[in-house]
């Protein structure tokens, strides 16, 4: 099959489009999926550069998100059959620890995510645990079905399970160009929240308004805390979605109303941020950290997508052989929404 692999860690030039042996089922609980599309996530850039601190066997296929058609199933598989169109739930655990036994694979100490410690989706075929195959929400193309799982499951856990976002609440989402941020905008608007977004680009702020954002703040030109406070009559917002961190972190905490919640899943601009602890206890703040989500949450998300008819925001689609250009677009921060790879015809 054709796939994009890295043989060593480094820049985009390390991505090699080449012939690779097709994956074969090794356990009776697995399935092989012929991929029609894959999507990029920021973590792919870190995996490519070898910056996650994880041991990865090289050569390695990147890619956590994918959608396609089931072409082979193990003897014990009953949730899908050959010919089914599926999207992929990215994480899987050891299946035996206290977390895996309670549908919390995302907390497993042996957590394996597609494209990280497992060969991923930048390929014509991928082998996965069959229980990670889910029916594609109606009307979604393969590109859209590949674009939503990782960012939307992360956002679902952050906003719905953890922050328990309510209609009418005020939400501030940082760096709206990103995949997580655009997913958060879509979910928050559908819930009926009032959404303020930040971006380093006026063009992206305009795009966000077309997608329902109520206010946009350019973080390069102004202090988003001051603006968010001004927009809320000094009260502050109920929820901040901050996967940027760095210098934004202290400003995110300062943007919250009393009793506000901050949700975080990433630190694109730096993980070593300053915190004024007094702000947390004086203002009764809650900080929720999370990574991905459970299969139950993924099922809730699928129902929500069916009912709301939400489709993920796609920035640009590249053919698999142009994966390096797709990585460059994400690395340069040009995207608004998801960068997707089209695989096969
Ligand atoms: N733990 C998890 O489960 C999980 C899941 C998904 C993602 N993540 C993490 O979450 C982060 C976002 O992921 P993603 O896939 O959405 O990334 P992405 O698509 O590459 O988006 C990154 C966005 O961050 C914004 N940004 C960068 N520097 C900024 C700054 N100094 N201030 C404000 N915004 C800034 C940019 O927004 P503008 O272009 O609008 O300025 C950019 O579009 C990454 O760190 C990723 O590793 C974690
Ligand atoms: Zn486990």
């Amino acid at each position: 099959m054709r796939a994009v692999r890295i043989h060593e860690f480094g820049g985009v030039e390390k991505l090699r489009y080449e012939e690779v042996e097709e994956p074969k089922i090794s356990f009776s609980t697995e399935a092989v999926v012929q991929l029609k599309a894959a999507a990029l996530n920021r973590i792919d850039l870190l995996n490519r550069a070898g910056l996650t601190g994880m041991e990865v066997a090289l050569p390695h296929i990147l890619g956590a998100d994918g959608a396609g058609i089931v072409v082979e199933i193990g003897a014990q598989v009953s949730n899908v059959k050959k010919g089914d169109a599926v999207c992929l739930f990215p994480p899987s655990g050891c299946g035996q620890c206290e977390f895996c036994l309670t549908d919390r694979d995302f907390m497993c100490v042996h957590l394996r995510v597609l494209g990280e410690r497992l060969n991923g989706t930048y390929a014509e075929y991928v082998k996965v645990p069959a229980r990670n195959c889910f029916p594609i929400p109606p009307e979604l193309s393969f590109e859209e079905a590949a674009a939503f799982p990782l960012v939307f499951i992360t956002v679902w856990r952050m906003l719905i399970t953890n922050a328990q976002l309510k209609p009418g609440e005020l939400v501030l989402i940082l760096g709206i160009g990103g995949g997580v941020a655009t997913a958060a905008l879509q979910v928050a608007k559908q819930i009926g929240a009032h959404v303020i977004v930040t971006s380093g680009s006026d063009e992206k702020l305009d795009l966000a308004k077309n997608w329902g954002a109520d206010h946009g703040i350019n973080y390069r030109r102004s202090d988003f805390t001051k603006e968010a406070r001004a927009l809320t009559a000094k009260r502050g917002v109920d929820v901040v979605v901050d996967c940027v961190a760095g210098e934004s972190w202290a400003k995110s905490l300062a943007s919250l109303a009393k009793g506000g919640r901050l949700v975080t899943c990433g630190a694109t601009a730096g993980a070593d941020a300053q915190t004024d602890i007094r702000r947390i206890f004086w203002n009764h703040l809650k900080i929720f950290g999370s990574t991905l989500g459970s299969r139950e949450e993924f099922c809730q998300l699928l129902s929500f997508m069916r009912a709301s008819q939400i489709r993920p925001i796609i920035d640009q689609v590249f053919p698999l052989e142009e994966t390096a250009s797709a990585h460059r677009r994400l690395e340069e921060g040009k995207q608004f929404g998801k960068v997707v790879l089209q695989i096969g015809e």
Side-chain angles (χ1 to χ4, degrees):
M1 68 170 178
R2 303 302 284 174
V4 174
R5 295 199 296 189
I6 48 165
H7 291 247
E8 55 184 334
F9 300 122
V12 288
E13 72 286 353
K14 302 294 182 196
L15 296 164
R16 280 204 220 163
Y17 179 64
E18 58 191 3
E19 194 59 30
V20 176
E21 207 178 316
E22 277 176 31
K24 301 258 177 315
I25 284 181
S26 19
F27 295 102
S28 56
T29 49
E30 290 177 337
V32 173
V33 175
Q34 181 181 17
L35 291 159
K36 300 289 184 186
L40 272 62
N41 288 284
R42 186 125 209 125
I43 193 71
D44 300 3
L45 308 183
L46 304 180
N47 284 325
R48 190 200 68 215
L51 295 175
T52 61
M54 260 178 231
E55 275 194 27
V56 176
L58 297 172
H60 176 67
I61 304 174
L62 299 170
D65 271 323
I69 303 213
V70 176
V71 288
E72 208 186 330
I73 53 168
Q76 284 187 56
V77 172
S78 57
N79 66 312
V80 283
K81 57 182 189 318
K82 278 191 202 179
D84 284 357
V86 294
C87 54
L88 303 178
F89 178 70
S92 48
C94 69
Q96 288 161 8
C97 71
E98 60 179 304
F99 303 110
C100 288
L101 291 175
T102 50
D103 183 32
R104 291 177 294 166
D105 296 27
F106 57 91
M107 290 191 192
C108 177
V109 286
H110 302 293
L111 173 67
R112 282 145 53 104
V113 179
L114 278 174
E116 246 175 36
R117 285 193 279 183
L118 297 169
N119 271 322
T121 54
Y122 295 3
E124 286 180 312
Y125 296 89
V126 68
K127 180 175 69 172
V128 291
R131 61 200 287 262
N132 285 20
C133 296
F134 287 85
I136 292 177
E139 313 290 331
L140 258 57
S141 64
F142 282 115
E143 285 81 11
E144 289 167 328
F148 84 84
L150 190 136
V151 289
F152 271 81
I153 184 61
T154 304
V155 160
W156 190 262
R157 184 166 180 82
M158 289 199 294
L159 280 184
I160 306 302
T161 309
N162 288 339
Q164 300 191 3
L165 182 65
K166 306 280 184 307
E169 286 194 310
L170 293 160
V171 183
L172 171 65
I173 303 171
L174 304 194
I176 196 58
V180 170
T182 47
L185 169 63
Q186 290 185 280
V187 171
K189 281 314 296 178
Q190 189 66 35
I191 295 291
H194 191 85
V195 180
I196 304 170
V197 302
T198 77
S199 178
S201 144
D202 288 341
E203 198 187 332
K204 291 189 189 185
L205 292 175
D206 287 342
L207 285 170
K209 283 184 189 156
N210 292 341
W211 284 95
D214 298 285
H215 298 283
I217 304 170
N218 189 318
Y219 59 75
R220 293 191 203 282
R221 274 207 309 273
S222 52
D223 179 333
F224 70 79
T225 304
K226 277 192 192 148
E227 286 220 24
R229 291 219 162 256
L231 285 166
T232 57
K234 296 194 182 158
R235 173 188 179 272
V237 301
D238 299 292
V239 175
V240 176
V241 180
D242 181 351
C243 50
V244 172
E247 286 180 5
S248 301
W249 181 257
K251 293 184 191 168
S252 291
L253 288 172
S255 302
L256 285 165
K258 291 230 184 249
R261 297 93 82 197
L262 187 152
V263 291
T264 170
C265 72
T268 310
D272 197 12
Q274 288 262 318
T275 303
D276 182 344
I277 303 292
R278 292 167 299 181
R279 198 177 277 289
I280 298 174
F281 60 79
W282 277 337
N283 293 326
H284 304 263
L285 304 184
K286 296 186 184 70
I287 300 175
F288 293 99
S290 63
T291 285
L292 303 163
S294 67
R295 286 185 183 77
E296 184 186 358
E297 288 166 319
F298 198 65
C299 290
Q300 292 167 2
L301 167 66
L302 291 174
S303 303
F304 175 79
M305 291 182 74
R306 271 193 294 276
S308 64
Q309 299 186 349
I310 276 188
R311 315 165 87 100
I313 299 173
I314 293 190
D315 169 67
Q316 218 170 303
V317 181
F318 293 83
L320 181 63
E321 54 268 41
E322 289 174 26
T323 300
S325 304
H327 267 231
R328 223 170 269 124
R329 183 162 177 84
L330 205 64
E331 210 148 58
E332 290 168 358
K334 290 189 174 152
Q335 82 286 13
F336 182 85
K338 298 295 292 176
V339 177
V340 172
L341 302 174
Q342 190 190 27
I343 302 170
E345 295 305 299

